[in-house]
Amino acid sequence: MFPSNNSQNKRKEIYRYAAPWMVYAMNWSVRPDKRFRLALGSFVEEYNNKVQIISLDEDTSEFTSRSIFDHPYPTTKIMWIPDTKGTLPDLLATSGDYLRIWQTSDNGTRLECLLNNNKNSDFCAPLTSFDWNEIDPNLIGTSSIDTTCTIWGLETGQAIGRTNPINGNVRTQLIAHDKEVYDIAFSRGGGGRDMFASVGADGSVRMFDLRHLEHSTIIYEDPQHHSLLRLAWNKQDPNYLSTFAIDSTEIIILDVRIPCTPVARLNNHRAGVNGVAWAPHSPCHICTASDDRQALIWDIQQMPKAIEDPILAYTADGEINQVQWSTTQPDWIAICFNNFLEILRV
């Protein structure tokens, strides 16, 4: 249950961290030995930005900074390597002007590689987002304002005795949309390795298969051709995904088996939606966050009947610009607003 702001029971339901700057990008670590570890990216409108790794000390109930490092421009997304067994190198990826892979350790964080697709030009088209493939962590897909998506092949050097650092190469680059691409996400469908979808400024959701890149499938088009900002796949049922348009108060749930017609619309927010996160452990729960300062959890199992109201609501002290549901601890959700990160027990 979302807690009230003043609950101070023995094991807290809510923990807050105050960063030294406005927080935008944020992600939970999935390693089993790093339970309450998150990475945060600053949002400062200048070149010099920061990424900070923090972890919760469960004895003192306080977050502590583990590492902080410089990052050019604000990170548009941060993601830990999807390594739930903890057997691969402890990597963190960030997108901004380029895709960067960082190695983190107790001694701090160092840049392992910078992946740039424009070898013949000093100009780089900023990356809006990326996704790290959960089934094959050697695959990362990036989306860019230059209308393309790029799938990178990483060499994470997990073989015993290899000393060469992590590097990457372009597996494929494709023109994904007619305008800027704002988000990309791999699907768990069809083996979980080859299918991905993207959204962008042309107002469409498009689906791709790495084995058949000569064509894509348009799953949905916004009726007014408004930009679609984010998409997220259901973690348990690869038939469902969610998206929302710029400045929209409504989240749209799509079923890839029934293209172009939303199976549900979630519209209790009273200001523009900024983020969605599906439950990692349930096919019918999704959390949405908005400029109305609310994080809402919905139960969508009665689709296609209308979903009238969320089952849980939390009101933050500011406009929520990011929400992430912990993969390894599904009873915890993280939100960001202003310069704060809060984790909430649900």
Side-chain angles (χ1 to χ4, degrees):
M1 180 58 204
F2 270 146
S4 62
N5 281 4
N6 57 7
S7 60
Q8 286 294 328
N9 50 358
K10 188 161 190 303
R11 195 148 170 244
K12 287 178 24 174
E13 306 285 319
I14 180 165
Y15 297 88
R16 175 184 282 199
Y17 176 72
W21 18 254
M22 173 102 167
V23 181
Y24 175 63
M26 168 266 289
N27 190 240
W28 290 92
S29 170
V30 301
R31 286 178 77 94
D33 57 337
K34 307 280 188 190
R35 272 172 38 95
F36 285 96
R37 183 176 67 164
L38 298 102
L40 310 174
S42 67
F43 187 84
V44 184
E45 291 191 14
E46 53 185 65
Y47 180 78
N48 296 316
N49 274 259
K50 301 281 186 190
V51 172
Q52 187 173 35
I53 295 170
I54 63 170
S55 62
L56 180 70
D57 183 320
E58 294 180 69
D59 295 328
T60 65
S61 298
E62 297 291 328
F63 277 107
T64 53
S65 176
R66 297 288 172 197
S67 172
I68 187 163
F69 54 94
D70 292 324
H71 194 280
Y73 304 106
T75 50
T76 52
K77 186 168 179 177
I78 289 179
M79 194 173 172
W80 295 90
I81 185 169
D83 173 26
T84 51
K85 296 190 178 71
T87 56
L88 298 176
D90 197 5
L91 302 180
L92 182 70
T94 60
S95 55
D97 51 349
Y98 301 112
L99 179 67
R100 290 176 173 82
I101 312 293
W102 310 81
Q103 174 120 11
T104 183
S105 69
D106 294 338
N107 305 326
T109 306
R110 71 168 192 269
L111 180 65
E112 281 286 350
C113 65
L114 180 150
L115 301 176
N116 168 22
N117 211 357
N118 289 21
K119 294 285 183 279
N120 50 6
S121 149
D122 292 336
F123 170 78
C124 64
L127 300 178
T128 50
S129 188
F130 70 94
D131 194 28
W132 206 325
N133 191 296
E134 291 181 13
I135 302 300
D136 182 356
N138 289 314
L139 291 180
I140 291 187
T142 57
S143 58
S144 171
I145 64 166
D146 69 4
T147 76
T148 67
C149 290
T150 303
I151 307 298
W152 297 88
L154 285 188
E155 297 290 330
T156 52
Q158 67 261 42
I160 304 299
R162 279 182 43 187
T163 55
N164 57 321
I166 291 138
N167 55 43
N169 60 289
V170 175
R171 286 276 180 92
T172 185
Q173 183 180 31
L174 56 137
I175 294 174
H177 288 259
D178 305 328
K179 295 181 178 176
E180 296 95 333
V181 190
Y182 290 139
D183 204 5
I184 180 173
F186 286 103
S187 162
R188 290 192 175 186
R193 191 182 174 279
D194 297 296
M195 321 262 282
F196 65 93
S198 60
V199 294
D202 60 9
S204 68
V205 181
R206 302 194 184 199
M207 196 156 168
F208 300 86
D209 186 326
L210 287 174
R211 298 158 297 193
H212 310 288
L213 282 174
E214 60 279 1
H215 62 87
S216 64
T217 307
I218 294 182
I219 304 174
Y220 175 73
E221 289 189 283
D222 182 83
Q224 280 82 43
H225 302 291
H226 291 154
S227 299
L228 298 177
L229 295 188
R230 292 280 170 262
L231 83 157
W233 288 97
N234 186 309
K235 300 284 190 202
Q236 294 290 326
D237 187 337
N239 290 312
Y240 295 106
L241 73 158
S242 60
T243 187
F244 57 88
I246 187 167
D247 297 330
S248 173
T249 59
E250 181 177 74
I251 298 94
I252 287 164
I253 311 287
L254 302 167
D255 183 336
V256 296
R257 298 163 299 188
I258 320 167
C260 302
T261 310
V263 283
R265 297 172 184 272
L266 312 177
N267 44 25
N268 278 47
H269 282 294
R270 295 185 296 279
V273 177
N274 291 321
V276 298
W278 290 89
H281 58 309
S282 157
C284 55
H285 291 95
I286 185 170
C287 185
T288 62
S290 153
D291 277 346
D292 65 6
R293 302 170 36 198
Q294 298 236 357
L296 306 177
I297 291 185
W298 308 77
D299 182 343
I300 59 166
Q301 63 186 346
Q302 63 203 40
M303 293 187 310
K305 279 171 43 185
I307 315 295
E308 298 291 343
D309 291 301
I311 54 170
L312 293 173
Y314 175 74
T315 304
D317 293 337
E319 298 176 350
I320 304 174
N321 59 33
Q322 191 70 252
V323 58
Q324 298 274 335
W325 204 317
S326 173
T327 305
T328 50
Q329 299 167 100
D331 45 352
W332 289 93
I333 284 175
I335 60 170
C336 292
F337 56 90
N338 302 331
N339 64 316
F340 295 108
L341 162 98
E342 284 185 347
I343 64 169
L344 317 167
R345 191 211 298 270
V346 292

